[in-house]
Amino acid sequence: MWERSLVVSAPGKAILHGEHAVVHGKVALAVALDLRTFLRLRPCGERGVCVRLPGVGVVRSWDAPSLQALRRGVAADLDESKSPSAEQLDALKEFAGIAAGASAPESLATLAFLYMYLAISAKHGDVPSVDILVWSELPTGAGLGSSAAYTVCLAAALLAVCGAISCPLKEGEPTARWTEEELALINHWAFQGERVIHGNPSGVDNAVGTWGGALRYQSGQITPLKRVPMLKILLTNTKVPRSTKVLVAGVKEKILKFPAIMNPVLDSIDAISQECQSVLEAMPANPSPEYYPVLEELFDINQHHLNVMGAGHPSLDRLCRVTASHGLHSKLTGAGGGGCGITLLRPDTSPLAVEAAKQDLCACGFECWETSIGAPGVTLHSSSSLNAQVLHALTQS
């Protein structure tokens, strides 16, 4: 029996530069957001497993004999180099009482949990009887990597309790992280969970959740940046719903219609991503305030490019105008057409200006967080390292 409780967290993600252009083979920079998903795992007296996801209204429990019988079926054709098969997912849906075409967050979160629990225990040894509670600072469905933060936390916790990776937290330490080899295993299983949820994900979101910091993505290649600074930002959710698929198709159509006009825009966005990468990698060794005007200007240029490409929206224009009135620089992050925007905060930005900008953004009906980018990846926590809000959320039994 697993004897101890553990708490794991993973960050969300934002695209700093390169959204839309990345679909056409250009560089994108993804960064870890210090809005995190937390998972608490503790031993369970009953033989079986209980999982609670209050953010999406899931409370489920299953007994050990039923899970073992299901595992035999799933393990028979387990090929972890591929996406989970339709047959495997159908068997899990039937077991969990989920309708065939269900795509609601609670259904997908439950399916991802079941698949990861069964596949990890089939591959790495029995997962003991545990009680799992997940709580997140991230909004769902906002393009901020909330599903990947969830699958990264699940992978780390399940791999730890079945002994596939260590529990590196030592007595008296606030937090600990895993070795590079262990992180690669966490990332592998988190990606499998993302495949259950999204079908054909890029792998960027789970890589950001695992390694944190910032990474470069181009034509399927994911490269973590060596050292990046933590930068303070405002993250704003306009709450305007959008379809990534429709926006991506609209950009593609414009490129096909006006190739001589649009291809230079894609090249310019590629150059912005590469320039930003150079600046971020130079900052830790030489933390000069001169870098911030460069980062701000890159935000402004890229935001104009994204409007040219058709990814803008009146709500995002308003966000940029409101923050500009306080001397701040913003751009959309992700698909655009609504969704979220990020605003860079210089170290010398006055707290009064930040507070005034937040109030004005909230008055527009937007939701606003003061947070950081370049945050650490998946982390193991002692309870002393958790703030009061997180502790409270994780002690709900």
Side-chain angles (χ1 to χ4, degrees), residues 215-292:
L215 44 90
R216 173 189 170 115
Y217 178 69
Q218 185 176 25
S219 305
Q221 285 295 109
I222 298 171
T223 315
L225 273 55
K226 289 286 176 278
R227 279 182 72 202
V228 292
M230 290 261 293
L231 302 177
K232 287 171 68 179
I233 62 156
L234 280 182
L235 173 72
T236 304
N237 185 0
T238 66
K239 301 187 188 171
V240 173
R242 75 275 179 262
S243 162
T244 301
K245 203 171 176 179
V246 169
L247 285 154
V248 168
V251 170
K252 186 178 179 183
E253 195 180 323
K254 197 170 273 201
I255 292 166
L256 291 171
K257 192 175 179 182
F258 302 113
I261 297 167
M262 297 308 296
N263 284 322
V265 177
L266 293 175
D267 290 339
S268 180
I269 291 175
D270 190 60
I272 289 168
S273 295
Q274 301 203 51
E275 179 67 20
C276 183
Q277 178 180 342
S278 300
V279 172
L280 292 177
E281 291 183 323
M283 285 176 83
N286 174 26
S288 158
E290 291 167 23
Y291 290 118
Y292 282 90

Side-chain angles (χ1 to χ4, degrees), residues 17-53:
H17 291 292
E19 45 271 276
H20 288 289
V22 72
V23 177
H24 303 277
K26 307 303 181 186
V27 173
L29 297 180
V31 288
L33 271 179
D34 208 21
L35 293 173
R36 305 182 76 85
T37 292
F38 293 85
L39 180 152
R40 186 214 64 206
L41 177 149
R42 64 185 183 192
C44 172
E46 307 296 317
R47 281 191 69 233
V49 63
C50 175
V51 60
R52 282 172 289 166
L53 316 171

